[in-house]
Amino acid sequence: MTDYKLFTSTKIGDLVLQNRMVMAPMTRCRAIDNVANALMATYYAQRASAGLIITEGTSPSPNGLGYARIPGIFTQQQVEGWKMTTSAVHAKGGKIFVQLMHTGRISHALNMPEGAQVMAPSAVQASGQMWTDAERLQDFPVPLAMTNADILNTIAEFATAAENAIKAGFDGVELHGANGYLLEEFLSPVSNIRDDNYGGNTENRCRFVIETVAAVANAIGKEKTGIRLSPYGTASDMPHYPTIHATYDYLSKELNKLDIAYIHLVDHSAMGAPMVPMEIKTLIGHNFENTIILSGGYDKERVETDIESGLADLIAFGRPFINNPDFVEREENNWVLSEDLKMDFFYSADENGYTDYPSHKAQLISQ
């Protein structure tokens, strides 16, 4: 039997992981009233055999609650709600980071509490629509262009949310700097047309991300801080621009200076998105000396190739964890994977297509 490095123990900072398999963050919309609940705790605990779980996007602010039924971590009630999940995962020997996701312009007022605002670096409307429980699909609104005071307040919100995450029992925090949400909106000259210190040239467009990462690292420790990036991604109306390469070259060097725990790179080409050039993955891996997490349609052989070559340290898997709660065990033992992926229930509100997928052993018992 082949000894795969994928199943060997490793570390992120001082945190010991039982294997190199990461459960990628996936929005599931089960947080009623934006509070993590017992159903979510069950879902994550079922998947605690992953080396590291990264939660669904969790807002650091009322202004970041762009989707229906996504969790936050900016109130005491939300902190208490998340404690159920962290306790359940830790009880099974797992490790878990919360992903802090401010949706920026990818939002709608109908999904937000009273007084919250849809904001972005500039008043540039995204094309497309957002689901709202109240009025179904609605066009994205024109966001409010953030003032300098808004920027400073939002950075502080991220830092406070990170502190709340540690109080809730999380092992660390991943900042969502990918997929067209607020942090990436600052990086792109398409969504960021500012002419101040947070817009224009590459250094200025990266400033908000760097300052936010630094604030979080200062609040909870650099060894507990990671970031997800999606260079050459096009999710949430983020078209390519001529300076992408230079942007991520500069950004990855600056993140290396901050000595944070990891960079997690998104590659959705396996689901039909544009291919992420190998050149940019290699560049970021060269610039950044700590852990690199890669994702995107991996099988075990490709995992071994990328780990052996030094391209990746950990590999993230998304959808296989949805309908295979015991995905790690199935891969390690060459057990067949479930093909029963109930996509109609991805973003519903109950246990259907969420916590009701059986493990391989449970399936054998029921046969």
Side-chain angles (χ1 to χ4, degrees):
M1 181 176 176
T2 304
D3 291 326
Y4 290 98
K5 284 194 173 182
L6 183 62
F7 306 116
T8 61
S9 177
T10 189
K11 284 186 174 184
I12 290 182
D14 294 329
L15 189 67
V16 178
L17 309 182
Q18 55 192 333
N19 55 64
R20 297 170 186 262
M21 296 180 71
V22 176
M23 178 178 165
M26 292 176 285
T27 294
R28 301 305 309 275
C29 297
R30 262 66 177 192
I32 308 304
D33 296 326
N34 308 119
V35 178
N37 50 47
L39 180 64
M40 293 166 60
T42 297
Y43 168 75
Y44 285 113
Q46 287 174 340
R47 292 150 180 83
S49 56
L52 176 65
I53 292 174
I54 305 171
T55 73
E56 61 212 271
T58 301
S59 183
S61 162
N63 298 326
L65 290 170
Y67 290 97
R69 290 170 273 107
I70 65 170
I73 194 162
F74 51 87
T75 71
Q76 187 59 38
Q77 184 184 13
Q78 290 166 342
V79 170
E80 294 302 318
W82 275 119
K83 284 181 181 179
M84 289 187 284
T85 290
T86 58
S87 296
V89 169
H90 289 151
K92 289 196 170 184
K95 302 294 190 294
I96 185 167
F97 275 38
V98 66
Q99 187 190 67
L100 297 183
M101 177 182 76
H102 190 304
T103 55
R105 66 178 186 164
I106 305 303
S107 183
H108 198 280
L110 291 173
N111 290 335
M112 303 168 76
E114 185 177 352
Q117 295 178 307
V118 179
M119 54 175 54
S122 303
V124 178
Q125 183 180 21
S127 65
Q129 294 184 309
M130 170 64 72
W131 173 266
T132 71
D133 287 339
E135 298 184 18
R136 303 178 71 85
L137 287 172
Q138 296 291 312
D139 290 344
F140 290 122
V142 177
L144 177 72
M146 296 169 71
T147 65
N148 279 353
D150 290 330
I151 288 173
L152 295 177
N153 182 63
T154 302
I155 293 171
E157 288 176 331
F158 270 102
T160 299
E163 292 174 335
N164 286 343
I166 301 305
K167 292 175 184 176
F170 284 103
D171 298 298
V173 162
E174 175 179 283
L175 296 171
H176 200 342
N179 295 1
Y181 302 125
L182 185 65
L183 291 174
E184 190 184 9
E185 288 165 16
F186 271 90
L187 296 177
S188 170
V190 177
S191 50
N192 180 356
I193 57 173
R194 302 175 71 94
D195 59 5
D196 62 1
N197 288 339
Y198 290 93
N201 62 34
T202 296
E203 290 80 1
N204 285 349
R205 284 185 284 106
C206 290
R207 189 181 309 277
F208 177 72
V209 175
I210 294 166
E211 290 182 352
T212 301
V213 173
V216 167
N218 287 336
I220 65 171
K222 60 188 180 181
E223 74 284 355
K224 297 178 181 178
T225 305
I227 189 168
R228 197 177 205 215
L229 303 174
S230 57
Y232 291 91
T234 57
S236 303
D237 191 28
M238 297 300 284
H240 291 174
Y241 51 92
T243 56
I244 294 178
H245 191 94
T247 298
Y248 285 92
D249 183 23
Y250 174 78
L251 179 61
S252 55
K253 288 175 180 175
E254 293 301 306
L255 293 172
N256 188 61
K257 292 177 185 177
L258 294 175
D259 196 29
I260 59 172
Y262 69 78
I263 292 177
H264 178 186
L265 294 178
V266 177
D267 185 341
H268 287 153
S269 58
M271 295 191 295
M275 185 73 68
V276 178
M278 180 60 70
E279 182 183 6
I280 196 73
K281 296 179 183 179
T282 303
L283 175 74
I284 291 172
H286 173 76
N287 290 343
F288 187 76
E289 297 175 1
N290 291 338
T291 298
I292 294 288
I293 304 174
L294 295 185
S295 66
Y298 272 90
D299 58 28
K300 285 186 286 190
E301 281 64 38
R302 184 171 157 233
V303 167
E304 293 305 300
T305 297
D306 284 0
I307 291 178
E308 287 284 359
S309 70
L311 186 67
D313 301 291
L314 303 171
I315 302 296
F317 301 86
R319 291 189 179 190
F321 270 108
I322 292 179
N323 56 334
N324 297 279
D326 55 343
F327 179 54
V328 175
E329 291 87 350
R330 291 189 189 228
E331 287 291 273
E332 192 167 13
N333 293 286
N334 292 316
W335 295 337
V336 66
L337 296 181
S338 169
E339 296 181 1
D340 181 23
L341 188 62
K342 303 170 185 175
M343 296 179 66
D344 290 346
F345 296 103
F346 273 12
Y347 310 114
S348 57
D350 57 22
E351 69 276 5
N352 293 321
Y354 189 60
T355 57
D356 58 350
Y357 290 108
S359 67
H360 178 75
K361 291 179 180 178
Q363 286 177 313
L364 291 177
I365 293 171
S366 66
Q367 290 175 356

